[in-house]
Amino acid sequence: MGTRGTAWKTRATTAITRFRAADDGTAGAYAYASMAEACGRVYGWGHTWTTTYFNTVYNLRNPDGGWGLSRAYDAFGDGSVNDPQTTYTVTLADHVGMPLLAGYQAGVVPKARVQGIVDMLMAMPRVPVDRGQCVAYSTRADDAQPGYEVHNVSAGVGYFLHRAGALGLGATGMHRLITDISIHQVDAYRTADIWWPYLADGPNQDPDHQAYSAQSMYPIAYWVGREAIYKLMTTAYPDDPMSPLAHMRLVSTPGGVASWSRTHGSPITLWGELGDQWLAEASAFITNPPGGYPLTRLAQAALFCARNSGVS
């Protein structure tokens, strides 16, 4: 591990330590899945903490086999309150799905658990759109109405399915869905802003959600995703306390055409180099997580920094 990876691993270790000290057992599936992958990457996939966190995630499944918030939530403020056992698309594809996919790749998560997520995402409702397809926000029909397309959520489904497909998992119609998601998201992309709206054709989303969109589009619409990542990684957002998560998320982005180090080339990525300027920002975030849900914020930071420990 090089100096850069060590710097990120140190921050991951700090975030893990702070999470474990504050955890009261109610952090939720997102936090515990993030901790499972973070501990796997930092301490080893066979470490007792890694195993315990994965088992905690399994035990938090909804009756339908998915995961969500474990609390009532009106996703669109329209009065249709989702019950605590509602399964959410982003929880399947990113919050829980990506850590389980990493665990599967490492040989500690059974294939059936990841295939189950693939199958659930393929069965999620769709929001009607003019071109391509948009996967709905949750399993609830009320969250699949026209105009309820949440761009980062649907893009994230394409990303997860792409990653799952690369590991040999699949489902009938999966490649068509990835294609259609990419078409819809390219249509929604605002070229002048190098940005996506959050909902339908509404205001631009915040940097944290934008980073998830950019990360998701990078492998399925490369140049669009690359430009969005470059803007995020070269821009400070001092008025948005959650923006450090955007920078932390994107440091581990793989290299590619015009995405390797400009001075050293492969295996050093442009994104790893650009991440150096955000190390102090990440430390400050871990020391004092902003906003609500501090355990989830620490778990997110632990996960992203652990992923970044692999950069050269």
Side-chain angles (χ1 to χ4, degrees):
M1 184 181 297
T3 302
R4 179 173 290 121
T6 299
W8 286 109
K9 183 177 180 180
T10 298
R11 286 156 178 79
T13 302
T14 300
I16 290 169
T17 300
R18 287 177 59 84
F19 179 96
R20 288 184 59 79
D23 182 26
D24 61 359
T26 64
Y30 187 7
Y32 293 125
S34 296
M35 288 294 291
E37 182 180 341
C39 289
R41 293 184 181 277
V42 171
Y43 299 112
W45 293 101
H47 194 279
T48 183
W49 294 352
T50 307
T51 302
T52 297
Y53 284 128
F54 273 128
N55 286 334
T56 300
V57 173
Y58 301 153
N59 290 334
L60 287 171
R61 283 177 298 174
N62 290 330
D64 66 2
W67 289 267
L69 301 176
S70 299
R71 58 182 171 86
Y73 181 54
D74 184 351
F76 296 97
D78 60 3
S80 60
V81 179
N82 297 341
D83 65 61
Q85 295 182 329
T86 298
T87 291
Y88 290 91
T89 303
V90 71
T91 315
L92 284 174
D94 185 53
H95 302 171
V96 171
M98 284 301 183
L100 262 62
L101 196 63
Y104 168 65
Q105 190 168 13
V108 298
V109 171
K111 179 179 181 179
R113 294 199 183 275
V114 184
Q115 183 63 51
I117 294 176
V118 171
D119 294 340
M120 288 197 75
L121 289 173
M122 293 300 301
M124 291 294 285
R126 305 286 195 267
V127 178
V129 292
D130 291 338
R131 295 189 68 226
Q133 294 188 62
C134 179
V135 181
Y137 194 76
S138 80
T139 51
R140 288 285 301 274
D142 288 335
D143 290 345
Q145 300 180 58
Y148 279 8
E149 58 263 37
V150 180
H151 295 291
N152 73 85
V153 168
S154 194
V157 174
Y159 179 44
F160 177 86
L161 295 177
H162 165 83
R163 290 282 301 275
L167 294 178
L169 293 98
T172 300
M174 187 177 85
H175 301 134
R176 173 63 182 272
L177 178 57
I178 297 170
T179 301
D180 285 354
I181 286 171
S182 67
I183 289 169
H184 178 61
Q185 293 310 312
V186 169
D187 270 0
Y189 177 72
R190 291 171 169 166
T191 55
D193 296 335
I194 315 179
W195 215 269
W196 279 274
Y198 175 78
L199 177 65
D201 195 30
N204 286 349
Q205 60 192 346
D206 60 89
D208 181 21
H209 288 94
Q210 173 71 3
Y212 182 38
S213 285
Q215 178 188 57
S216 298
M217 294 301 290
Y218 186 79
I220 63 176
Y222 177 75
W223 289 106
V224 178
R226 185 205 174 277
E227 285 303 283
I229 291 174
Y230 185 81
K231 178 172 182 175
L232 284 159
M233 290 299 288
T234 56
T235 307
Y237 301 94
D239 296 330
D240 189 324
M242 300 298 290
S243 64
L245 289 173
H247 297 136
M248 282 186 268
R249 177 187 283 273
L250 295 174
V251 171
S252 63
T253 302
V257 178
S259 295
W260 295 110
S261 166
R262 293 166 173 168
T263 54
H264 299 93
S266 176
I268 299 173
T269 66
L270 174 62
W271 318 119
E273 285 187 333
L274 290 175
D276 292 349
Q277 66 190 302
W278 307 118
L279 282 164
E281 176 191 74
S283 293
F285 185 97
I286 292 166
T287 299
N288 186 25
Y293 308 105
L295 283 172
T296 300
R297 303 306 169 221
L298 284 170
Q300 288 175 285
L303 172 60
F304 297 152
C305 291
R307 289 173 178 169
N308 298 345
S309 68
V311 301
S312 300

